[in-house]
Short mmCIF file of all heavy atoms in Angstrom, two decimals:
data_model
loop_
_atom_site.label_atom_id
_atom_site.label_comp_id
_atom_site.label_asym_id
_atom_site.label_seq_id
_atom_site.Cartn_x
_atom_site.Cartn_y
_atom_site.Cartn_z
N ILE A 36 87.68 75.81 139.05
CA ILE A 36 87.41 75.83 140.51
C ILE A 36 88.28 74.81 141.27
O ILE A 36 88.95 75.15 142.27
CB ILE A 36 85.93 75.60 140.83
CG1 ILE A 36 85.07 76.84 140.30
CG2 ILE A 36 85.66 75.41 142.28
CD1 ILE A 36 83.60 76.58 140.31
N ALA A 37 88.39 73.60 140.73
CA ALA A 37 89.15 72.52 141.31
C ALA A 37 90.65 72.96 141.41
O ALA A 37 91.32 72.72 142.42
CB ALA A 37 88.98 71.30 140.56
N LYS A 38 91.17 73.57 140.32
CA LYS A 38 92.59 73.99 140.27
C LYS A 38 92.80 75.02 141.30
O LYS A 38 93.77 75.04 142.06
CB LYS A 38 92.86 74.53 138.84
CG LYS A 38 94.24 75.06 138.66
CD LYS A 38 95.19 73.91 138.31
CE LYS A 38 96.47 74.38 137.78
NZ LYS A 38 97.29 73.36 137.30
N ALA A 39 91.94 76.03 141.33
CA ALA A 39 92.11 77.19 142.27
C ALA A 39 91.99 76.73 143.69
O ALA A 39 92.83 77.14 144.59
CB ALA A 39 91.12 78.30 141.98
N GLU A 40 91.05 75.88 144.02
CA GLU A 40 90.83 75.48 145.43
C GLU A 40 91.95 74.58 145.95
O GLU A 40 92.16 74.43 147.13
CB GLU A 40 89.48 74.84 145.55
CG GLU A 40 88.31 75.72 145.29
CD GLU A 40 88.26 76.91 146.21
OE1 GLU A 40 88.56 76.77 147.49
OE2 GLU A 40 87.86 78.02 145.80
N ALA A 41 92.74 73.95 145.01
CA ALA A 41 93.91 73.13 145.39
C ALA A 41 95.16 73.87 145.57
O ALA A 41 96.18 73.31 145.99
CB ALA A 41 94.05 72.02 144.29
N ARG A 42 95.17 75.18 145.20
CA ARG A 42 96.37 76.02 145.33
C ARG A 42 96.41 76.84 146.61
O ARG A 42 95.33 77.23 147.13
CB ARG A 42 96.31 76.98 144.15
CG ARG A 42 96.58 76.38 142.73
CD ARG A 42 98.04 76.57 142.46
NE ARG A 42 98.48 75.83 141.27
CZ ARG A 42 98.57 76.34 140.07
NH1 ARG A 42 98.29 77.62 139.88
NH2 ARG A 42 99.09 75.61 139.08
N ALA A 43 97.58 77.13 147.08
CA ALA A 43 97.75 77.99 148.25
C ALA A 43 97.29 79.36 147.89
O ALA A 43 96.63 80.10 148.77
CB ALA A 43 99.21 78.00 148.66
N ASP A 44 97.58 79.91 146.76
CA ASP A 44 97.15 81.23 146.38
C ASP A 44 95.88 81.15 145.51
O ASP A 44 95.87 81.31 144.34
CB ASP A 44 98.24 81.96 145.52
CG ASP A 44 97.87 83.36 145.16
OD1 ASP A 44 96.84 83.92 145.76
OD2 ASP A 44 98.57 83.93 144.24
N THR A 45 94.77 80.88 146.24
CA THR A 45 93.53 80.63 145.63
C THR A 45 93.05 81.83 144.85
O THR A 45 92.68 81.76 143.65
CB THR A 45 92.41 80.26 146.68
OG1 THR A 45 92.89 79.10 147.34
CG2 THR A 45 91.09 79.97 146.01
#
Side-chain angles (χ1 to χ4, degrees):
I36 292 169
K38 179 83 164 188
E40 295 299 322
R42 290 261 172 100
D44 184 14
T45 303

